[in-house]
Amino acid sequence: MQWDHIIKNGNIVLNNTIEQGNIYIKNGLIEAISKNELQGDAKQVTDASGKYVLPGLIDTHIHSRDGGATYKEDFSYSTTAAAIGGITTVFEMPNTNPSVNTRDNFIKQKNNLESKANIDFGLWGISLGDLNKANLQELHDSGVIGIKYFWGYAVNKEDFQLVYNYDPSLKNVMPPCDDGEVYEIFKSVAKTGNVLAIHAENSDLMHRLAENIEDTKGDDYDVFLSSRPQLAEILTVQTAIEFTRDLGTRLHILHVTTKRSVELIRQAQKEGLPVTAETCPHYLFLTNESYKEIGPVMKVFPLVKEKEDQDEIWNGIADGTISSVCSDHAPHTEEEKSGDLWTMPAGMCGVETIVPLLLNAVNEGRLSLLKFSELLSSNPAKNFGIFPKKGSLAIGTDADITILDMDKKWTIKREDLHSKSKITAYDGFEITGKPVQTIVRGETIMKDNEIKTTGIGQLVKRNESIL
Ligand code: DOR
Ligand code: ZN
């Protein structure tokens, strides 16, 4: 047999075990996994001795700003950063310009991103309430990975871009949908059978709380947090769970940040409701206390909360309530992020640092490597209908593979990041563990921190299973 690529002598991370062996790749697919050497030559051989070999890692939540705000980031940059960070598939969020709100815009975006993609990608569709209720079925049929609803956000009337600092007096803005309209979104998505993923923050509450604060210019994170508190998320999560109980909508709760949300989601899952949840590194590794050192670059929506929230999020990961971790990569420029805490846009880079941060946590004994592999690979693939094509090392599936050096000690430096924007909360963080090779459908995209192949990324659609 002439193989395309053999990965030799790695510690292969399978479903429940880690076993030493070799992986044989042909035509972009995994053809064999064997403890013994199989016959035949290969065009490429990777020696993975002493390294860990995982199913390709998936980041289900990134904002590459492409099209639209490509001065902040674009898909070529974000997928380069992702590949350096050990990611083989990203799911691109739909709050682009044009937004992914119709079938036509889905096709436009697929073509736009495919021309720049260094790794594979899925596309989210957006719900804009009544405005595109009638388009959700065609978005589903086009192959969106899920439908995203930015609950609590107002959007610009013309281009549907998010309004970060909503005020009801603003002109040319569609205010956040009321609960009746959101109920209709749940109903429409339920009909498609796709996942409805929600950004969960209650705008009415946040707006009223902000009105009662005198100093809305100050640099005090806790004052800012008191205007966007835990309760804003909890109210929305609770309403969403009840909508799902009523309508059966398959619900995914994005970037969970509070203790009480974890408890509500755990309870809903116990009751058998179709609810999954994710969180992000900033909620696992930062708290309100981090602001003293890190400052306003750590402003993300929903805001990073308190230590007791963080502890329960870790518990939620341990018991499976939270089944995936994603970056919410949301770059803005240096100038945009150097303004005032209250008015600057929310978001920071994350696609390149998510894997290192979590590997460091593995090395600290906070989670096992098997759990890490579930959180970043098999669970996201299962939650969004691309398993086992992605998210597994099964025979006949895409040869997407991430190779890790678990012993490598290094420091995250903002200037070393590969995104257009270098905005990160993790500058100077000391890390043990690093992705050293990123392989997409058999092709080495990154090796030892260098990009080896570009532009081969393809769209992956929901329910596109090859087995
Ligand atoms: O911090 C955030 N940034 N949260 C969001 O919900 C949106 C994102 C963005 O697109 O900038
Ligand atoms: Zn996001």
Side-chain angles (χ1 to χ4, degrees):
M1 174 70 111
Q2 169 77 34
W3 309 102
D4 291 335
H5 193 163
I6 306 176
I7 298 161
K8 283 197 171 157
N9 294 322
N11 300 303
I12 304 174
V13 178
L14 298 165
N15 279 346
N16 298 312
T17 60
I18 301 180
E19 284 177 31
Q20 227 193 350
N22 313 306
I23 298 182
Y24 295 83
I25 298 167
K26 178 103 183 146
N27 298 328
L29 303 177
I30 296 174
E31 279 277 321
I33 300 179
S34 170
K35 273 192 193 312
N36 308 317
E37 290 217 5
L38 303 183
Q39 296 240 311
D41 296 331
K43 291 181 208 147
Q44 193 187 348
V45 177
T46 294
D47 178 10
S49 309
K51 310 279 193 314
Y52 288 83
V53 178
L54 277 74
L57 305 177
I58 303 169
D59 188 343
T60 58
H61 186 153
I62 74 165
H63 302 262
S64 304
R65 317 299 192 199
D66 193 341
T70 46
Y71 67 94
K72 297 179 197 252
E73 180 73 315
D74 70 28
F75 206 56
S76 168
Y77 275 87
S78 67
T79 55
T80 297
I84 297 280
I87 304 285
T88 56
T89 300
V90 287
F91 296 169
E92 178 64 15
M93 279 294 167
N95 58 322
T96 41
N97 191 6
S99 73
V100 185
N101 59 337
T102 62
R103 181 175 180 277
D104 285 353
N105 281 344
F106 174 91
I107 293 167
K108 266 193 209 141
Q109 183 63 325
K110 169 189 183 299
N111 293 336
N112 172 38
L113 298 189
E114 223 153 36
S115 70
K116 303 171 190 170
N118 296 319
I119 60 172
D120 284 355
F121 64 98
L123 270 180
W124 286 93
I126 199 165
S127 165
L128 298 165
D130 288 345
L131 203 68
N132 76 331
K133 209 168 69 176
N135 303 99
L136 296 182
Q137 186 64 47
E138 67 184 33
L139 278 170
H140 170 69
D141 295 341
S142 307
V144 290
I145 224 75
I147 302 289
K148 162 110 182 233
Y149 175 57
F150 288 88
W151 201 327
Y153 269 102
V155 294
N156 183 287
K157 261 188 189 152
E158 267 139 40
D159 57 16
F160 314 126
Q161 297 306 290
L162 302 182
V163 176
Y164 293 101
N165 300 302
Y166 174 60
D167 179 322
S169 66
L170 287 173
K171 299 249 154 43
N172 213 25
V173 158
M174 287 191 336
C177 300
D178 64 31
D179 281 358
E181 195 170 345
V182 181
Y183 184 75
E184 292 288 325
I185 298 173
F186 272 69
K187 209 189 258 180
S188 306
V189 177
K191 266 190 217 144
T192 70
N194 211 317
V195 180
L196 177 63
I198 59 158
H199 177 114
E201 285 188 292
N202 183 301
S203 167
D204 291 339
L205 178 76
M206 294 189 300
H207 189 254
R208 181 57 70 112
L209 291 171
E211 269 182 352
N212 294 337
I213 294 169
E214 271 173 30
D215 182 14
T216 56
K217 287 255 174 308
D219 190 37
D220 186 328
Y221 187 84
D222 288 337
V223 174
F224 188 43
L225 183 54
S226 72
S227 75
R228 306 182 71 102
Q230 284 84 344
L231 185 59
E233 178 178 282
I234 296 162
L235 289 177
T236 305
V237 167
Q238 198 163 35
T239 306
I241 288 171
E242 294 310 318
F243 282 179
T244 275
R245 190 192 306 283
D246 196 54
L247 295 165
T249 317
R250 169 70 182 84
L251 174 65
H252 180 73
I253 307 198
L254 299 160
H255 40 50
V256 168
T257 72
T258 75
K259 176 175 192 276
R260 183 76 191 124
S261 302
V262 177
E263 291 166 356
L264 287 167
I265 295 161
R266 183 180 290 126
Q267 179 60 29
Q269 290 171 344
K270 253 190 212 139
E271 292 171 27
L273 296 177
V275 181
T276 53
E278 67 182 33
T279 193
C280 310
H282 27 280
Y283 307 117
L284 292 169
F285 301 111
L286 308 175
T287 66
N288 58 330
E289 296 289 328
S290 314
Y291 189 77
K292 283 193 251 49
E293 273 159 54
I294 291 167
V297 292
M298 69 175 257
K299 175 180 173 183
V300 292
F301 285 163
L303 290 177
V304 168
K305 307 288 192 313
E306 297 173 53
K307 177 75 167 61
E308 65 164 1
D309 297 300
Q310 187 182 58
D311 289 345
E312 192 57 26
I313 293 171
W314 277 105
N315 290 339
I317 284 190
D319 72 9
T321 306
I322 295 176
S323 53
S324 62
V325 181
C326 58
S327 70
D328 200 359
H329 182 70
H332 298 286
T333 65
E334 202 76 36
E335 297 81 68
E336 288 168 330
K337 289 296 277 192
S338 59
D340 152 66
L341 170 65
W342 284 74
T343 49
M344 74 166 55
M348 62 176 161
C349 296
V351 74
E352 191 169 343
T353 48
I354 179 173
V355 170
L357 288 164
L358 284 161
L359 293 182
N360 193 57
V362 171
N363 274 316
E364 285 176 346
R366 303 195 75 172
L367 74 164
S368 69
L369 195 55
L370 286 175
K371 183 76 172 182
F372 167 88
S373 183
E374 281 173 23
L375 289 169
L376 269 292
S377 191
S378 53
N379 287 345
K382 286 174 186 166
N383 285 343
F384 299 102
I386 59 168
F387 187 86
K389 177 181 166 68
K390 305 291 189 193
S392 79
L393 290 176
I395 309 299
T397 65
D398 283 2
D400 292 355
I401 291 167
T402 304
I403 304 181
L404 306 174
D405 178 345
M406 289 304 290
D407 302 321
K408 172 103 182 146
K409 291 192 191 313
W410 61 292
T411 304
I412 296 176
K413 295 200 184 109
R414 46 168 289 139
E415 65 269 22
D416 293 344
L417 294 181
H418 292 74
S419 286
K420 230 179 228 189
S421 154
K422 312 291 180 203
I423 298 293
T424 175
Y426 309 111
D427 186 33
F429 272 47
E430 288 177 7
I431 300 288
T432 305
K434 200 174 200 312
V436 290
Q437 194 161 342
T438 304
I439 298 165
V440 175
R441 287 175 283 104
E443 292 266 5
T444 296
I445 310 298
M446 179 279 283
K447 187 161 188 188
D448 298 331
N449 227 41
E450 274 178 29
I451 295 292
K452 300 289 180 191
T453 313
T454 56
I456 65 126
Q458 291 176 1
L459 179 79
V460 55
K461 295 180 178 178
R462 185 179 184 80
N463 295 335
E464 185 189 50
S465 189
I466 48 164
L467 292 184

